[in-house]
Amino acid sequence: MKSRWIGLVVFLLFTGIFFSFAPRSVPDLGGSSAWGDDDDKLPFPKNATVTTLITTPRLIEGLTGDNHRNLYTAASGMPPCAVWQINIHNPSLTPVGFVVPAVGSCNLLGIALNEIGDVFVADGDAGTIYTLNPSVKNPQNADIFASGVPGANGIAFDKKGNLWASDGVTAQGRVWKITGPGANCSSTPAINCEEVFRVQPMANEVNLVNGVGGVGRDVRWLPQGTITVTPTSRIAAVNTTGCPTPPGPPCILGSTSLVANGLAFDKDGDQLFIADTARGAIWKATFDRDGHLKSKTGCDTTFTPNTLCLDNVFVAHPYLDGADGIALDRDGNIWVVPVERQAIVVATKHGKVIEVFRNPVNSPSGFGLRNAGDQSVGNNHILESPTSPFLIGKVFCTAQADYPLRDNSPRSTGEVLGGQPQDGPIPLAKISCMDQELKIPGLRLPIN
């Protein structure tokens, strides 16, 4: 009996010593972190404000940066179309190259830098991706890197140096991997290009007759067969009944169909995040070590077999409605600019969504709109259709295109006025940066 009591005492002593050295907190078993569900502990600016860094005499959309405190954006309009470098400490529009399409004007959207600092910029109208070696002293015209990329919009490099591109307003949800120069994604067979997957479109094509039909979201509001499907768009057809008055018929009662917009890889390069403007969502495509797609596809047979299943949606939230460009910080949090909401939003790596900034309601007499600033402060402290964020160190900046969308409509009351003549006295677009320093710096690009 005595020996049994001695054994029990030894066991209890050993147990007490063991737990005295054990961690005081519960280990992370794959759920949220310590700040995952506590807004007070989230490492993001509170009561954030923004200030215009620079305005531009032409429309801009994309934004990227280097490791020398320089931002880069590209001007749309009549050629030559400048690629500008802007130093965040001494901002000016410094041309470092030009895009000159063979025909027509430029519609320059996504922009990215590769590992050696070459600039790549997508022309959505031409379905072309250009490249140039930026030079302040001797800016040159860009070369064509890839063609046959319909609607080319968001672009991002993976860890192997491949360039990925989304199809933007064509609304088919295509995402291509471009493996080298001279690529053509539309030729048969494709050259240096592969359509890897599709984000599920908002409407399918199962009942098209002469390009009209489709089953999808817009059909909830319009008679069956009133989504017009073309190679470059999927929009609700003109309707003549049920129109609000004013303006009265004809009208379009549909909504945006853009499902594959901004792209960004995580730091390991095995996850690609895609902004879904129409759904207000972020999709996640996962790859194995050899770069092959692991994400499940083909769940809905009314779409192409390479269409991602809906369970690949990483997060969807009303704050993300109109999500356009995205950028990651070093902890894997996704910074998003919803173009229609005049806002800056973060989707954490755990899927929690936080609104960091939104334009205040106009003051003193804004009638509930968010398209102009408090005039005691000025219009240089508001967003005007933010399109593309970039985290340059601990500084958050975003391009703005001043589109006449939702919270930015009418667009005539802010600091810039899109739609005015290019290179004129009235600026058309701008870049703004957050006044508060980020706690978590941006992910260095390109990933490697």
Side-chain angles (χ1 to χ4, degrees), residues 17-58:
I17 294 171
F18 175 82
F19 280 103
S20 70
F21 288 103
R24 299 295 181 184
S25 59
V26 177
D28 183 1
L29 299 177
S32 298
S33 70
W35 49 264
D37 296 309
D38 189 341
D39 288 352
D40 292 333
K41 295 180 180 179
L42 293 171
F44 310 116
K46 294 177 174 60
N47 302 314
T49 55
V50 299
T51 300
T52 301
L53 179 71
I54 198 166
T55 61
T56 65
R58 292 199 181 196

Side-chain angles (χ1 to χ4, degrees), residues 241-253:
T241 61
C243 299
T245 302
C251 65
I252 296 177
L253 297 181

Side-chain angles (χ1 to χ4, degrees), residues 66-83:
D66 60 23
N67 296 320
H68 305 287
R69 315 297 281 178
N70 297 312
L71 296 170
Y72 296 82
T73 192
S76 291
M78 294 300 295
C81 301
V83 175

